[in-house]
Amino acid sequence: MNDYGIYYRRAIGVARLDKELPQFDIFISAFNSSDRVNEVFARIRAVRKFWFVQPEYQYSPLDLPQGITKIAPTSIDEVAQANALLAEIGDLNGKSICIDITGFMRHLLAYLIARLKAGGILRFYALYSEPVAYIQQEQTAFSTKTSGVVRPVRGMASSMKANAEEALIIGVGFDSKLISQVASSKDAATVFPVFAFPSLSPDMYQQSAVRSSAAGDVALASSWTSKRRFAPANDPFSTAGVVSAVVRELDRNGRDWNVYLSPLATKVQVLGFTFYWLLEGSKRTAVSMLLPECLTYSRETTQGLRRLWMYELDFT
Amino acid sequence: MNDRQNPFALVRASDFSDSQINDLWVELGPQFINAVIEPRSRMSKYILGGKGTGKTHLLRYHSYQVARLRDKRLSGVETVERLGFLGVFVRATNIDAGRFEAEFASPRQWQQLFGVYLELRLAEGLLDALIDIQRTSPNSSFNEAATLHEVRRTVHGLVGAEVSSVKELQTWVDNQRRAIDVAVDNAAFSGDLRIRVPFPIGGLCIPLTRALALWNSVFASAPVIFLVDEVENFSERQQQIINSLVRYGEGVLTFRVTGRLYSRKTLATMADGEENREGSEFTTIQLDEILRRFERYPDFARRFVAKRLTAPGSGNTGTPFSVFDPTKSLEEVDPQNFFVKHVEAFELDTSATSHSREFINALKAADGEYGITPSVAENVHHVLTSDFPPIIQRLNSLLFFKKAAKRKDPLSTASSIAEAARGYIISGARRGYYANAYGHYANDLFAQLCRASRKLGRPLYAGFDCFVKMSSGNPRNLLICLGRLYELTSFREIDLSNAKLGLLLQTEAAAEAARFMYERDSNYGAAADAAREAVNRLAAVLRTARYALNIPEVSPLTVSFSDTDLEGESRAVLRLALNYSLLFDVNVGRPDRNSDNVHRKIQINPLLSPKWGLPIARRGDLQLNRGVLNAIFDGSRLEEFEMTLRLLGSRWNRPLTSPSNVLFSEMQADLFA
């Protein structure tokens, strides 16, 4: 079992962002219209800064900031997106890298981290900026259109056991439709909902509970409450620890389990689930990262920048 | 708060253990089940149906693993002998087929690899059953060498492998499958899909299945049937693999494939090859349609509910209905004496004033046509409504609109209707035009009264039979209704053992059930969103019809149209709405009055009816012309749809106003909107 308590995380004062954060060789952020993403991009110090433009946001060239290196692939496949990004950046070895995960799509974020690790990048930094509020509280729409396909993140499917039970660990956010789609795709699985708690702000837990209750069959099942777990919304390492504990609990009960991980809440949670997968899940085997395919995504879902977090992902 | 577990919770067949599948099996009758699954037919079959029609249950019930548990005294060989077949259950979702479609390899490569992978999964299931048969049949002999000799002829990957038993073959198959899993994962990082497939497509399952007659004589007469569940999870290219195995299975590979109504994306074999033909290579059966027509469904529903109430975990084991019997505990709408009981209880007559105003305004809007001047309008209204029960007032008004355009003297028309109404009230006759009209429109008019009532605000949905009708032959839909009802009573701490559950509570449960299905139970991405929005527009048209002064069709839940009128986008969206069971195809179309075209007829799933206050049973069908049809089903024509809806509303509420005046007033409304 991995001790997730030892990993480095710290809150950065928004007012002193440019002073508290070191200068990086490479800074990557996914462009969207949120204040929090743009403010961090403008103020962070880095030798080279890259805007990654997710096609899911459907920006036209005129919508994009000028004078900055932009990578704007057209494919929604995470492998093609990461290929485009890494081809533009070039050699990463020996460079200090920082990624603002706030605006990335879940598929790409999970895959990109795994891809960096597979490419020998064993240490880098991730930033996440907490919003002051979601623009329409519990009514905020994030993914606006999905293909209906729920599939493993490329390279993170793992090999499943024959005749094993299935467990689905869902990171519960605001997007009830995504929860519903994932749960329907694994309708024989025992579901473990992981709620983001403590949430980014006190009202957000309540809002996510309200939203997720509209997720169909899965939210009506008694397991939605009896198997509920909690992980802090802004701590990927604690989240990884919670996922790890659930899987250990399954492995102790004497049966074979295929485990599906589906982080559908904050990007921090995606980071946490991915971190668990890379450190433990991929070695255990039969642990798969599973997400619904998003075709389009809201450009602006939040207001303001409350707090900035920095995490050091260390795979050494 | 009642802490008893909801006995009507939506537990899916996939959630049940093998033994629970047997416990919860409600016999529809062996004849019925056999007709559906045809377990001894060597021809492959598609079993299509909506969510909850029991597809997974049906397949699992016929799988070897579940069948074995029904009589544990039998050996594996005896079980197969008794069944007459060996069912191997494979769930398509377990394959995570989305992995085999990435951009970093060609579609052709992925198709080949998926084909091999699928066969490995099928073989895994089959070998699992064979090992159990061998383990539980100590008195039977099994010729492993002859079987493996047959398999080695086509599986080149077995060359050099130490495989001399079925058990070892299973290990080999498992290793091959894992090698593909790893190769696919690795390729996502390396960009290079490197794997040597151990056999050509068809090279494992065909020889293995054929060789089983050598393995044990029971398989000389008992075929292997692969039961593949939820085929909609396979892409078009992946389904071509199944089609190829069906076509080239040489009479030894037989499938029962389940999926949604339109889950079958292609009939072509691999590489866009020849198409399989219905009746030659496969047959198809649609469960929704069969269940909807199943005459004993109400009886089935009662037994289904009884099973649920006594199922393990319900807290009611051994005491059927001791806590809550929905077949007896639900109050029903009482239509006696023109619904007088409910008129009094819910003050349904309070809407008379507003109805009078609307009726008189509609008459005045005739603007002198048909001899209706403002003073005549007041008199007509007086004659039709004075001293009549509220529902008869509305029926008289409705009948006046139906007749007024054909007769010259509005007052004599009104008097004649009022006279017929009095005769009907006094005699209670079951025949005659007025009795017929009452029989046709009573439910719609009662719904209008309920909706207009300040106490209710919506029509009533109550009684076990009502919920059975709403479920339309789909047990899951029945569970959705009863589950919501149970939760409401539980939340309000109503003692179910003594209570007769009232109309309002049941109506609330029905509305919750509709909301659940519409908002929460049909999230399958953008396609489902488009289908849901189209159904919402269709429902708006039907609702406008049902609550109009001049209801155009009795119990409007169904529409008919010419299939040739459907344009591209509309056709696609309609198909999706049918696929997700938001709509049903009513098979019997009716001829167009003016041509030989056969009209299609579709209805809204009655589980959704409470969302819009629609009826739960269909009678008349509203004919849609090309413009209205495509405005409903093509989401890009929203403005056209809104205009169309307003025009229809005006036509049905101002039936004596000329169409040009209706159009003018709508344009004015647009200007000042």
Side-chain angles (χ1 to χ4, degrees):
Chain A
M1 182 206 160
N2 207 57
D3 179 3
Y4 292 96
I6 63 171
Y7 292 95
Y8 183 75
R9 71 211 88 174
R10 67 173 282 215
I12 308 290
V14 173
R16 295 172 47 79
L17 185 160
D18 39 356
K19 295 186 178 61
E20 287 192 36
L21 287 174
Q23 173 163 310
F24 298 99
D25 293 329
I26 292 167
F27 177 71
I28 308 163
S29 182
F31 176 77
N32 70 19
S33 306
S34 298
D35 302 338
R36 52 180 181 158
V37 168
N38 286 282
E39 188 176 344
V40 171
F41 192 94
R43 292 173 56 195
I44 200 163
R45 291 176 298 132
V47 177
R48 295 169 72 199
K49 293 185 185 182
F50 298 90
W51 270 128
F52 183 77
V53 184
Q54 297 266 184
E56 293 88 342
Y57 286 127
Q58 297 188 301
Y59 283 111
S60 72
L62 290 176
D63 297 325
L64 300 174
Q66 302 302 308
I68 307 281
T69 310
K70 295 181 288 290
I71 301 114
T74 52
S75 171
I76 60 161
D77 190 289
E78 59 270 27
V79 175
Q81 291 182 351
N83 284 344
L85 177 65
L86 297 175
E88 178 67 33
I89 296 172
D91 186 19
L92 293 169
N93 281 307
K95 306 233 168 47
S96 63
I97 303 163
C98 181
I99 302 171
D100 184 349
I101 62 173
T102 312
F104 276 92
M105 295 292 114
R106 295 182 179 90
H107 270 101
L108 177 60
L109 180 57
Y111 173 76
L112 183 61
I113 294 164
R115 174 84 176 261
L116 290 175
K117 179 173 179 282
I121 309 299
L122 299 181
R123 180 182 291 146
F124 56 92
Y125 294 91
L127 295 181
Y128 178 73
S129 39
E130 290 184 16
V132 172
Y134 290 110
I135 47 176
Q136 289 179 292
Q137 289 78 43
E138 74 274 14
Q139 299 303 327
T140 307
F142 293 87
S143 62
T144 51
K145 202 190 272 187
T146 57
S147 70
V149 173
V150 177
R151 62 165 175 82
V153 176
R154 304 281 180 223
M156 303 174 86
S158 193
S159 187
M160 295 307 190
K161 298 169 190 167
N163 299 318
E165 310 262 351
E166 288 184 341
L168 173 61
I169 305 177
I170 301 179
V172 178
F174 280 34
D175 216 325
S176 59
K177 284 188 177 181
L178 296 188
I179 296 170
S180 172
Q181 283 178 36
V182 169
S184 298
S185 79
K186 291 291 168 200
D187 64 358
T190 302
V191 175
F192 292 83
V194 177
F195 283 79
F197 187 83
S199 49
L200 299 181
S201 69
D203 54 332
M204 286 181 192
Y205 170 69
Q206 206 65 29
Q207 289 166 9
S208 81
V210 170
R211 287 294 298 162
S212 63
S213 68
D217 290 19
V218 64
L220 294 176
S222 57
S223 61
W224 192 248
T225 45
S226 66
K227 298 199 181 301
R228 186 170 51 192
R229 300 289 190 280
F230 300 98
N234 53 17
D235 187 344
F237 306 118
S238 297
T239 300
V242 169
V243 173
S244 174
V246 173
V247 179
R248 266 186 289 120
E249 185 183 317
L250 291 169
D251 287 340
R252 275 200 301 266
N253 73 11
R255 286 179 283 171
D256 279 341
W257 288 91
N258 291 327
V259 181
Y260 293 91
L261 309 180
S262 195
L264 302 175
T266 61
K267 305 300 160 51
V268 171
Q269 207 185 49
V270 179
L271 194 62
F273 276 54
T274 305
F275 200 60
Y276 162 79
W277 190 89
L278 289 168
L279 290 186
E280 289 190 70
S282 57
K283 295 187 187 79
R284 177 193 181 270
T285 73
V287 180
S288 177
M289 289 284 285
L290 189 74
L291 289 168
E293 256 181 9
C294 287
L295 301 176
T296 62
Y297 207 83
S298 297
R299 296 172 177 183
E300 193 166 15
T301 55
T302 60
Q303 291 169 331
L305 169 56
R306 180 199 300 271
R307 192 162 47 168
L308 187 66
W309 285 92
M310 183 174 76
Y311 314 104
E312 183 181 1
L313 282 88
D314 188 344
F315 298 105
T316 53
Chain B
M1 186 164 164
N2 190 344
D3 59 357
R4 190 181 293 276
Q5 190 177 328
N6 189 337
F8 307 112
L10 282 178
V11 180
R12 295 150 295 192
S14 50
D15 293 335
F16 292 129
S17 67
D18 289 346
S19 63
Q20 284 172 322
I21 285 284
N22 284 323
D23 289 343
L24 275 165
W25 185 256
V26 177
E27 290 289 349
L28 285 162
Q31 209 176 346
F32 178 90
I33 298 295
N34 273 337
V36 171
I37 198 140
E38 294 186 278
R40 289 173 194 177
S41 167
R42 301 258 177 173
M43 188 177 283
S44 291
K45 188 171 192 177
Y46 284 90
I47 300 166
L48 306 179
K51 200 171 182 175
T53 46
K55 302 183 296 294
T56 303
H57 213 129
L58 191 69
L59 292 196
R60 283 190 67 189
Y61 187 77
H62 287 88
S63 70
Y64 169 78
Q65 277 78 2
V66 173
R68 266 274 293 140
L69 298 176
R70 288 201 282 277
D71 191 345
K72 290 179 184 168
R73 292 166 305 176
L74 297 181
S75 70
V77 168
E78 287 166 339
T79 301
V80 175
E81 198 166 18
R82 179 174 284 190
L83 288 170
F85 64 94
L86 174 72
V88 176
F89 178 74
V90 176
R91 187 176 286 123
T93 52
N94 285 2
I95 293 175
D96 289 324
R99 286 181 292 163
F100 296 91
E101 301 257 290
E103 292 178 7
F104 54 83
S106 72
R108 174 94 178 139
Q109 274 180 299
W110 281 126
Q111 189 182 46
Q112 291 284 334
L113 190 59
F114 174 80
V116 169
Y117 192 85
L118 177 66
E119 269 200 74
L120 289 166
R121 292 302 291 254
L122 295 174
E124 254 178 2
L126 173 57
L127 290 165
D128 199 44
L130 296 182
I131 288 164
D132 187 77
I133 289 168
Q134 200 169 27
R135 184 182 60 79
T136 58
S137 310
N139 299 324
S140 299
S141 62
F142 301 93
N143 189 341
E144 309 241 276
T147 309
L148 290 168
H149 176 73
E150 187 70 22
V151 174
R152 282 181 189 279
R153 288 168 57 174
T154 49
V155 181
H156 54 259
L158 275 171
V159 174
E162 288 188 9
V163 173
S164 57
S165 67
V166 165
K167 180 77 183 159
E168 285 173 3
L169 181 61
Q170 188 194 41
T171 306
W172 180 84
V173 164
D174 190 47
N175 288 339
Q176 296 302 314
R177 179 179 65 77
R178 285 172 185 278
I180 294 178
D181 287 330
V182 171
V184 170
D185 268 355
N186 288 344
F189 298 112
S190 66
D192 188 11
L193 184 60
R194 276 194 191 183
I195 182 83
R196 189 165 175 271
V197 293
F199 52 85
I201 291 171
L204 176 62
C205 284
I206 293 174
L208 178 59
T209 311
R210 190 193 296 121
L212 287 183
L214 303 172
W215 190 65
N216 185 280
S217 58
V218 71
F219 289 104
S221 56
V224 172
I225 299 178
F226 291 103
L227 309 165
V228 180
D229 195 20
E230 300 181 347
V231 76
E232 58 267 27
N233 291 288
F234 293 159
S235 68
E236 186 175 333
R237 281 182 171 276
Q238 291 166 348
Q239 288 192 4
Q240 287 179 359
I241 299 290
I242 298 246
N243 295 343
S244 300
L245 292 174
V246 166
R247 189 180 185 91
Y248 303 111
E250 300 173 17
V252 295
L253 279 190
T254 307
F255 289 86
R256 298 293 177 270
V257 180
T258 65
R260 289 293 182 89
L261 211 52
Y262 289 101
S263 57
R264 202 166 45 194
K265 294 161 186 163
T266 179
L267 294 177
T269 50
M270 278 171 62
D272 302 321
E274 280 190 79
E275 288 197 347
N276 287 347
R277 285 166 303 164
E278 175 97 40
S280 295
E281 279 85 22
F282 69 91
T283 56
T284 304
I285 195 164
Q286 293 196 356
L287 277 181
D288 300 70
E289 202 179 310
I290 290 176
L291 287 169
R292 279 204 296 275
R293 291 181 180 181
F294 182 49
E295 287 177 358
R296 287 182 287 123
Y297 176 70
D299 183 46
F300 167 86
R302 283 180 168 76
R303 282 186 289 126
F304 179 74
V305 167
K307 277 264 183 188
R308 270 310 183 101
L309 287 165
T310 55
S314 66
N316 303 333
T317 313
T319 56
F321 303 136
S322 64
V323 174
F324 172 51
D325 176 2
T327 63
K328 294 178 185 147
S329 309
L330 306 184
E331 187 185 349
E332 295 183 345
V333 171
D334 181 0
Q336 290 300 309
N337 290 329
F338 310 107
F339 299 88
V340 64
K341 181 176 159 189
H342 309 305
V343 169
E344 287 168 3
F346 300 120
E347 297 169 12
L348 300 185
D349 51 351
T350 53
S351 68
T353 312
S354 61
H355 178 255
S356 297
R357 193 168 51 245
E358 287 165 17
F359 178 67
I360 291 168
N361 285 343
L363 291 181
K364 287 178 177 171
D367 206 19
E369 292 285 323
Y370 312 105
I372 302 173
T373 60
S375 64
V376 169
E378 300 283 352
N379 287 338
V380 164
H381 171 255
H382 180 74
V383 170
L384 291 173
T385 58
S386 293
D387 302 324
F388 285 117
I391 197 162
I392 296 294
Q393 291 178 23
R394 286 189 180 240
L395 181 57
N396 289 349
S397 308
L398 171 63
L399 290 175
F400 180 81
F401 284 129
K402 302 276 182 210
K403 292 174 183 293
K406 297 174 194 161
R407 296 185 186 177
K408 287 184 179 169
D409 182 353
L411 267 174
S412 90
T413 303
S415 300
S416 146
I417 292 169
E419 195 176 325
R422 276 189 205 94
Y424 176 69
I425 291 170
I426 293 164
S427 70
R430 291 188 176 184
R431 291 188 178 173
Y433 96 86
Y434 200 94
N436 281 342
Y438 187 81
H440 283 153
Y441 291 107
N443 284 337
D444 292 327
L445 296 172
F446 180 62
Q448 287 191 357
L449 285 171
C450 292
R451 190 179 184 231
S453 144
R454 277 191 293 274
K455 268 198 164 178
L456 285 176
R458 59 185 174 188
L460 295 169
Y461 297 88
F464 186 70
D465 288 342
C466 168
F467 291 126
V468 169
K469 277 183 191 156
M470 281 173 69
S471 69
S472 323
N474 184 327
R476 183 175 185 274
N477 290 347
L478 185 61
L479 287 180
I480 291 175
C481 294
L482 296 178
R484 299 289 82 75
L485 184 60
Y486 193 94
E487 274 183 9
L488 282 174
T489 55
S490 180
F491 185 71
R492 293 177 191 178
E493 301 186 341
I494 295 171
D495 179 6
L496 290 168
S497 55
N498 299 316
K500 186 97 172 167
L501 300 182
L503 301 176
L504 289 179
L505 190 78
Q506 293 181 61
T507 300
E508 202 176 330
E512 279 286 308
R515 203 163 74 93
F516 174 81
M517 186 191 179
Y518 185 81
E519 292 175 8
R520 303 174 180 185
D521 199 36
S522 51
N523 290 319
Y524 300 99
D529 293 343
R532 218 171 21 242
E533 285 156 16
V535 171
N536 194 37
R537 291 190 289 272
L538 175 62
V541 171
L542 292 168
R543 180 177 54 195
T544 304
R546 192 183 201 203
Y547 295 96
L549 288 171
N550 185 20
I551 301 171
E553 282 293 345
V554 179
S555 295
L557 188 64
T558 307
V559 293
S560 65
F561 52 87
S562 172
D563 189 65
T564 53
D565 283 343
L566 275 172
E567 293 165 14
E569 175 65 10
S570 303
R571 185 177 296 280
V573 171
L574 170 61
R575 194 178 153 102
L576 289 165
L578 292 166
N579 194 39
Y580 297 120
S581 303
L582 299 167
L583 300 178
F584 297 147
D585 234 329
V586 180
N587 231 7
V588 190
R590 72 181 188 192
D592 185 287
R593 289 185 183 117
N594 304 316
S595 72
D596 291 333
N597 283 343
V598 174
H599 268 55
R600 277 183 78 174
K601 206 191 272 192
I602 54 165
Q603 71 162 90
I604 288 188
N605 183 336
L607 184 66
L608 294 170
S609 288
K611 177 172 170 57
W612 300 286
L614 295 177
I616 54 166
R618 61 186 162 83
R619 292 186 78 164
D621 61 281
L622 211 56
Q623 284 200 46
L624 303 181
N625 64 30
R626 187 184 185 97
V628 178
L629 178 69
N630 290 295
I632 290 171
F633 285 101
D634 184 343
S636 66
R637 302 187 186 183
L638 201 55
E639 282 183 23
E640 191 184 328
F641 169 76
E642 283 166 1
M643 184 65 184
T644 302
L645 184 63
R646 286 210 301 274
L647 281 171
L648 290 172
S650 294
R651 188 191 299 165
W652 294 329
N653 287 294
R654 295 279 190 276
L656 301 177
T657 307
S658 73
S660 59
N661 285 347
V662 168
L663 190 61
F664 178 71
S665 63
E666 285 305 325
M667 285 167 67
Q668 279 197 318
D670 257 2
L671 281 174
F672 297 104

